[in-house]
Amino acid sequence: RPFLRDHYRHTFSDIVRSAYEGVKDKDGNEIVKPMKSMYQEETGLPRDQDLRDTCVTWLANAGCTHSEIASITGHTEQSIPLILAHYLAKDPVRADNAIAKLRAYRKR
């Protein structure tokens, strides 16, 4: 289907808003945590590259392989670990998972 005029701009705006604010289901339960880092501090504007790299993080959190991630985002398989090393260090989902594992370990 042809790409409609301004389609990307509108779609990108909706996706950035969802990433920045988080996503809730119909009952108001959070299903995607807010990613406030979606905006550049110096300009306050969203960056396409940040959204693309955030997608790499979300796909990794979903259990996708590096090959699957590269197929979706267009990154090289060699760049996926570098992106993950940068973004996963700041990922609250992984931090929560790590703390849960630590608590389970300490209870043994």
Side-chain angles (χ1 to χ4, degrees):
R1 185 172 105 181
F3 211 52
L4 303 174
R5 183 179 181 173
D6 291 332
H7 177 78
Y8 178 81
R9 182 173 56 87
H10 293 295
T11 301
F12 179 68
S13 177
D14 291 344
I15 293 169
V16 168
R17 187 179 318 101
S18 295
Y20 181 76
E21 295 174 356
V23 178
K24 295 183 180 183
D25 65 16
K26 62 181 174 131
D27 297 322
N29 300 311
E30 186 175 71
I31 56 176
V32 174
K33 291 186 178 190
M35 302 274 298
K36 301 297 183 187
S37 63
M38 286 301 304
Y39 284 87
Q40 299 178 43
E41 290 181 24
E42 59 275 6
T43 65
L45 299 172
R47 296 190 307 188
D48 186 35
Q49 187 62 38
D50 286 339
L51 182 61
R52 189 169 169 236
D53 289 348
T54 297
C55 181
V56 170
T57 303
W58 287 357
L59 291 166
N61 284 340
C64 295
T65 66
H66 290 184
S67 179
E68 291 168 331
I69 294 169
S71 295
I72 292 168
T73 65
H75 289 91
T76 65
E77 285 191 52
Q78 296 78 14
S79 69
I80 303 294
L82 299 172
I83 295 165
L84 293 175
H86 175 74
Y87 283 92
L88 292 183
K90 303 173 187 175
D91 181 47
V93 172
R94 290 204 185 261
D96 291 346
N97 290 342
I99 294 299
K101 289 177 184 179
L102 177 59
R103 285 183 178 141
Y105 170 78
R106 297 288 296 153
K107 286 182 181 180
R108 288 193 255 162

